Amino acid sequence: MSEWSVAEPQKLTFDAPVGTVQVRIAGGTVNVVGVEEGPARLEVSDIEGPPLTVTQEGEVLTVGYEDLTWQGFTKLLDRSSWRRSAVVSLTVPADARVEVGAVGAGAVVSGIRGTTVVRGVTGDTALVGLSGPVQANTVSGNLEAQAVTGELRFASVSGDLTVIEGSGPSVRADSVSGSMIVDLDPDGPTDVHLTSVSGEIAIRLPHPADAEVEANTASGRISNAFEGLRVHGQWGAHKITGRLGAGTGRLRATTVSGAIALLRRPSAEDWQDTRPTDGPTDGPTDKKVL
């Protein structure tokens, strides 16, 4: 096993193969980028408080604090007198497994094909271009997932979920009060299951869509942009049910007091209709008159 102590800004290159990356920080930012070639690299551009411990044992690369374990990383919330922060950037093989634990820190993970696991407390997380399975758990931190093509699992107490151009085979999310905005652009059947107590849920489906739909709210408002779906209930509980297309995908959304909205993603023809045309217009031009 190799070990380093990082107490000031520093860069490290790891010549040995890296198959799993574990990062545990409190305060600051962690950025993990998957690349196709080259060794794994670490850059700590800013650090305050105790030093970071970096270890490589076999193919497992770990960056974190000695007193911050995977099982108890939230204990820092009970020690308000502790002050620590680090800005950590990692370049790792795209096929690596990535595990990030962040307390009061932001996290960005991009370009990873392996499994990604994120555990956050108050910091926000951004996932970009991930093709492997994703599991994200937060207390109050928000999650934004853009162009994620793998399975996505999200659980939070009050954190919000935003999915942009989601094309993975499944999205499952549970929250108590966090809102969920899910924009789907799947390549095939997608299984979507969203559950919240008081958070609002908005789902944008492609047109034409292909899914069996069931959306329920006990007391929230409901809106539906698809003529093929039925809206049940005038007062109190509302439900949207029906089949879009062949119904090969599944969409389930449930909230107690939050609103539910099913929105339609513009089709290719819709985009074509909105493109500007060549030729003169009635508006101002760039031509300058002297």
Side-chain angles (χ1 to χ4, degrees):
M1 183 179 73
S2 301
E3 181 173 329
W4 301 263
S5 179
V6 180
E8 59 186 15
Q10 187 174 349
K11 295 180 181 180
L12 296 173
T13 299
F14 308 93
D15 294 326
V18 172
T20 298
V21 179
Q22 299 177 340
V23 184
R24 304 185 301 270
I25 67 170
T29 306
V30 56
N31 183 19
V32 182
V33 179
V35 296
E36 298 299 332
E37 299 180 354
R41 294 182 174 87
L42 166 68
E43 179 179 0
V44 179
S45 56
D46 186 46
I47 184 169
E48 297 180 7
L52 285 169
T53 299
V54 180
T55 62
Q56 184 172 16
E57 185 172 4
E59 294 191 357
V60 180
L61 176 64
T62 302
V63 180
Y65 297 102
E66 290 185 345
D67 57 1
L68 191 59
T69 64
W70 273 108
Q71 292 73 24
F73 73 92
T74 57
K75 71 180 182 179
L76 287 185
L77 294 180
D78 301 325
R79 303 292 294 273
S80 59
S81 60
W82 291 11
R83 294 291 181 268
R84 59 180 74 187
S85 176
V87 177
V88 175
S89 298
L90 276 159
T91 301
V92 302
D95 291 327
R97 174 184 175 91
V98 175
E99 303 175 0
V100 176
V103 180
V108 180
V109 182
S110 60
I112 297 296
R113 289 194 297 266
T115 298
T116 298
V117 179
V118 179
R119 302 175 187 176
V121 179
T122 56
D124 295 341
T125 300
L127 308 176
V128 182
L130 305 186
S131 56
V134 176
Q135 173 70 58
N137 299 319
T138 74
V139 177
S140 61
N142 302 325
L143 174 69
E144 179 178 316
Q146 182 173 356
V148 171
T149 60
E151 296 181 354
L152 175 61
R153 302 288 183 270
F154 174 71
S156 179
V157 177
S158 60
D160 297 337
L161 169 66
T162 302
V163 176
I164 302 172
E165 296 180 350
S167 59
S170 66
V171 177
R172 293 183 176 269
D174 295 280
S175 179
V176 176
S177 60
S179 65
M180 302 179 188
I181 301 174
V182 179
D183 171 41
L184 298 175
D185 187 20
D187 297 326
T190 299
D191 185 3
V192 179
H193 194 166
L194 311 177
T195 304
S196 180
V197 177
S198 60
E200 298 183 346
I201 298 177
I203 306 164
R204 191 165 76 156
L205 300 170
H207 181 71
D210 181 13
E212 286 280 354
V213 177
E214 182 177 333
N216 303 272
T217 177
S219 59
R221 301 182 309 276
I222 202 162
S223 59
N224 168 43
F226 293 90
E227 295 181 356
L229 300 178
R230 298 180 298 276
V231 179
H232 310 271
Q234 297 296 325
W235 305 97
H238 296 85
K239 178 185 290 188
I240 303 175
T241 61
R243 173 181 295 178
L244 297 173
T248 55
R250 292 194 306 168
L251 170 60
R252 300 289 185 270
T254 303
T255 178
V256 177
S257 59
I260 294 181
L262 296 185
L263 310 174
R264 195 187 80 168
R265 174 183 258 268
S267 64
E269 290 77 10
D270 293 333
W271 284 114
Q272 185 70 27
D273 292 341
T274 59
R275 290 180 59 186
T277 58
D278 295 332
T281 66
D282 295 332
T285 67
D286 295 331
K287 189 177 294 183
K288 190 173 183 179
V289 179
L290 299 178

